[in-house]
């Protein structure tokens, strides 16, 4: 990760300082994230994000945690100095871990039934739980049906 100061604003005769930083995260899997981060006394906020490939919601939620420490290290207690702070990041996971095999099929069936009971879209519930596309989620639901965890979709004549 590289952190470069963009600009700094001192408010009301030295009371509070707000600093903007250009941040680049480069992952070992080839993914790249560029962002504009703001450091205030209250913490870190992100003003602009560009990612290739796009970030999942879980990754976006974790983004501030990934950069908070290195940003505060770059700031220190004194003025911000030009330069870069290098940090090694692990490869990110685009989707949550989901068990395979019988356990995964059983969990898909649980999510599916829970959504049906709540009156929600069961396929969307499986998509959100697994982090998979609609097509892959439908395949997982079909596998749960084949395993006997869900009732058959259509009655055969």
């Amino acid at each position: 990760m590289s952190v470069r100061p963009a600009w700094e604003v001192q408010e009301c005769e030295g009371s509070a300082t707000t600093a903007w930083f250009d941040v680049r995260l480069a992952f070992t899997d080839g993914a790249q994230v560029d962002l504009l981060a703001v450091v205030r006394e209250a913490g870190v906020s992100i003003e602009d994000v560009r990612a290739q490939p796009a970030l999942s919601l879980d990754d976006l939620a974790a983004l501030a945690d990934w950069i908070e420490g290195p940003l505060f290290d770059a700031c220190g207690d004194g003025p911000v100095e030009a330069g870069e702070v290098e940090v090694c990041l692990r490869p990110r996971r685009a989707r949550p871990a989901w068990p395979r095999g019988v356990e995964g099929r059983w969990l898909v069936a649980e999510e599916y039934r829970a959504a049906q009971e709540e009156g929600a879209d069961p396929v969307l519930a499986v998509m959100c739980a697994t982090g998979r596309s609609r097509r892959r989620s439908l395949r997982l639901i079909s596998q749960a049906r084949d395993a006997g965890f869900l009732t058959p979709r259509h009655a055969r004549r």
Side-chain angles (χ1 to χ4, degrees):
M1 175 167 94
S2 65
V3 178
R4 291 179 295 129
W7 65 89
E8 184 176 314
V9 175
Q10 185 117 13
E11 301 171 15
C12 299
E13 297 183 24
S15 63
T17 301
T18 303
W20 283 261
F21 291 87
D22 290 318
V23 180
R24 170 168 282 177
L25 297 133
F27 295 89
T28 56
D29 63 356
Q32 181 174 311
V33 180
D34 292 309
L35 60 99
L36 181 63
V38 181
V39 178
R40 297 184 183 97
E41 289 178 6
V44 174
S45 61
I46 299 170
E47 290 201 357
D48 185 36
V49 177
R50 293 189 181 138
Q52 188 66 12
L55 293 173
S56 70
L57 290 177
D58 291 335
D59 287 341
L60 192 57
L63 188 58
D65 293 334
W66 291 345
I67 65 171
E68 185 174 32
L71 278 175
F72 284 133
D73 290 345
C75 293
D77 292 331
V80 177
E81 296 178 14
E84 293 188 354
V85 177
E86 294 294 330
V87 176
C88 182
L89 296 173
R90 295 178 313 218
R92 65 186 181 93
R93 282 191 63 89
R95 65 178 76 85
W98 192 258
R100 294 178 176 227
V102 174
E103 184 183 0
R105 292 180 190 115
W106 183 79
L107 290 172
V108 164
E110 289 293 311
E111 290 290 334
Y112 188 92
R113 282 193 296 272
Q116 276 184 325
E117 290 172 6
E118 294 172 4
D121 181 1
V123 176
L124 185 59
V126 171
M127 288 172 61
C128 291
T130 62
R132 302 288 182 156
S133 68
R134 183 172 184 82
R135 174 181 272 173
R136 181 67 177 130
S137 295
L138 287 169
R139 188 174 300 141
L140 291 171
I141 292 166
S142 174
Q143 290 171 354
R145 285 186 200 287
D146 292 344
F149 297 126
L150 292 171
T151 59
R153 176 108 172 116
H154 301 290
R156 295 187 176 139
R157 296 183 183 179

